[in-house]
């Protein structure tokens, strides 16, 4: 399909927004976030407050988890429709019709019973991830507070619909492991993708990457039909963000949820495994997503997320 192929181009700018001195610079930061979100739907954050030690600890926990025996991970199998647990090549994007070449582990707070590895298997894993997830939640809500004000809502509007202590919470921290390219397949295309072209289901995505582990490409807005994709270089010091479908709907389509994908490595690129961590700020199940101008019918976040998961997980 069209969005599964296309040409990579570096013609577009993915803006970097500095969150340093956030409260003192809120008006300027809000303007920069709004511009990026309405032009491409993608931006990167510097001055975000998460330390390299925190992100390194989260990545170390991820690598340790994915190194566990498959039998152990199968004991944490993904809970259908709840975005919690481990999955293996089960995400089938409508854009490709083939499974993404990856495995992942989802942390969604209300649904983690029975899904944590034992402390004897991975010491500190649970505490490390819960701490990192809380830091991601705080950062996401800081950004969403800017969009709330610009959309004419109260500053804490989105925070009220993302309650990490509540049983209806749906935000997810996702550890991702894209497989190394097999020796026999290097330098040729077999039609598979690490992640086929898709938009995200949520309000806001935070993505953490490792230096040199490139592959993320975006295709913003009305230019999607050109099939031209912009690479987003992986930098460990920046948090890459994108608007999701929930927030686009809530904004009356002013904020753009755009297609992105994770491409296979170039023949002369790094062929080893790729690790990333994504945080999806998804409104609580009972939140009603409405469109300011009435162009979209109201829908609960629970129903919306269930529909999107069903369409994207085939195994």
């Amino acid at each position: 399909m069209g969005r599964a192929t296309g040409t990579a181009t570096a013609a577009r700018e993915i803006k970097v927004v500095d969150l340093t001195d956030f409260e003192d610079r809120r008006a300027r930061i809000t303007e920069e976030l709004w511009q990026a979100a309405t032009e491409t739907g993608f931006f990167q954050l510097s001055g975000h407050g998460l330390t390299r030690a925190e992100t390194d600890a989260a990545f170390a926990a991820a690598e340790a988890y994915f190194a566990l025996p498959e039998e152990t991970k199968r004991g944490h199998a993904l809970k259908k429709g709840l975005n919690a647990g481990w999955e293996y090549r089960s995400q089938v994007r409508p854009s490709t019709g083939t499974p993404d070449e990856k495995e992942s582990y989802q942390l969604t707070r209300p649904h983690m019973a029975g899904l944590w590895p034992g402390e004897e298997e991975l010491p500190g894993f649970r505490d490390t991830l819960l701490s990192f997830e809380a830091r991601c939640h705080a950062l996401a809500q800081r950004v969403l507070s800017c969009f709330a004000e610009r959309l004419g809502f109260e500053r804490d509007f989105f925070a009220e619909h993302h309650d990490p202590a509540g049983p209806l919470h749906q935000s997810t921290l996702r550890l991702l492991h894209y497989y190394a390219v097999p020796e026999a397949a290097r330098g040729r295309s077999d039609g598979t993708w690490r992640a086929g072209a898709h938009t995200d289901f949520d309000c806001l995505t935070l993505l953490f990457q490792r230096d040199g582990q490139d592959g993320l490409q975006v295709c913003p807005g009305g230019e999607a039909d050109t099939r031209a994709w912009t690479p987003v270089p992986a930098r460990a010091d920046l948090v890459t963000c994108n608007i999701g479908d929930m927030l686009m709907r809530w904004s009356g389509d002013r904020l753009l949820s755009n297609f992105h994908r994770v491409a296979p490595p170039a023949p002369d690129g790094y062929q080893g495994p790729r690790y990333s961590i994504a945080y999806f700020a998804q409104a609580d199940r009972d939140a009603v997503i409405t469109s300011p101008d009435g162009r979209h019918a109201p829908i609960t976040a629970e129903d919306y997320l269930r529909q999107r998961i069903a369409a994207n997980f085939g195994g």
Side-chain angles (χ1 to χ4, degrees):
M1 297 180 65
R3 291 187 180 96
T5 58
T7 304
T9 174
R12 305 182 195 88
E13 177 189 8
I14 305 299
K15 290 183 171 60
V16 177
V17 180
D18 184 3
L19 300 188
T20 302
D21 298 326
F22 180 79
E23 290 302 332
D24 291 339
R25 299 176 55 246
R26 174 181 278 274
R28 172 67 180 272
I29 290 169
T30 297
E31 184 60 33
E32 291 181 4
L33 290 172
W34 183 265
Q35 183 180 2
T38 54
E39 289 180 357
T40 66
F42 272 79
F43 47 92
Q44 293 179 301
L45 302 177
S46 62
H48 45 73
L50 277 79
T51 68
R52 186 62 179 265
E54 288 175 305
T55 56
D56 283 351
F59 273 98
E63 292 191 36
Y65 180 82
F66 293 125
L68 290 173
E70 183 172 325
E71 181 180 356
T72 300
K73 292 182 288 189
R74 286 192 181 280
H76 314 138
L78 189 71
K79 292 183 179 179
K80 292 290 186 180
L82 296 177
N83 244 14
W86 175 76
E87 63 84 23
Y88 165 79
R89 286 192 170 104
S90 72
Q91 193 156 16
V92 181
R93 307 289 183 180
S95 64
T96 62
T98 59
D100 288 350
E101 288 297 307
K102 62 167 173 53
E103 62 179 324
S104 65
Y105 177 85
Q106 280 72 231
L107 187 173
T108 302
R109 281 183 180 257
H111 308 304
M112 296 305 293
L115 298 181
W116 294 107
E119 188 68 15
E120 69 284 355
E121 293 172 307
L122 290 183
F125 178 82
R126 177 173 178 165
D127 289 346
T128 295
L129 288 194
L130 285 173
S131 175
F132 190 72
E133 188 262 4
R135 296 280 281 140
C136 290
H137 171 80
L139 176 57
Q141 293 310 315
R142 192 184 311 171
V143 173
L144 286 171
S145 74
C146 294
F147 291 131
E149 288 188 306
R150 190 61 188 265
L151 289 167
F153 301 137
E154 294 295 324
R155 181 178 293 186
D156 59 354
F157 174 82
F158 291 113
E160 291 175 352
H161 291 298
H162 293 76
D163 178 11
L168 304 182
H169 191 59
Q170 294 191 121
S171 293
T172 298
L173 184 71
R174 189 178 199 192
L175 313 181
L176 292 141
H177 171 213
Y178 302 94
Y179 301 114
V181 180
E183 191 72 37
R186 296 183 180 181
R188 63 178 177 83
S189 174
D190 60 1
T192 62
W193 290 84
R194 283 180 157 175
H198 63 285
T199 59
D200 287 345
F201 317 154
D202 59 348
C203 287
L204 181 71
T205 301
L206 310 179
L207 180 68
F208 301 84
Q209 303 182 90
R210 301 281 82 185
D211 291 329
Q213 295 185 14
D214 295 331
L216 178 64
Q217 300 174 349
V218 305
C219 192
E223 298 181 52
D225 290 338
T226 68
R227 304 182 189 178
W229 295 81
T230 297
V232 182
R235 285 182 51 182
D237 60 325
L238 299 178
V239 180
T240 299
C241 301
N242 62 276
I243 303 301
D245 297 341
M246 280 185 180
L247 186 56
M248 182 170 172
R249 191 178 182 118
W250 240 322
S251 73
D253 296 346
R254 284 178 284 177
L255 302 177
L256 302 178
S257 176
N258 284 323
F259 279 88
H260 50 287
R261 65 188 185 184
V262 180
D268 59 348
Y270 168 69
Q271 304 291 310
R274 180 182 189 269
Y275 295 91
S276 64
I277 299 175
Y279 179 77
F280 301 101
Q282 298 171 153
D284 296 341
R285 288 159 56 186
D286 60 346
V288 178
I289 304 167
T290 59
S291 182
D293 56 5
R295 71 176 62 190
H296 300 297
I299 187 172
T300 65
E302 178 179 19
D303 288 342
Y304 188 74
L305 192 60
R306 183 186 294 117
Q307 290 173 11
R308 296 304 306 276
I309 291 174
N312 282 267
F313 282 90

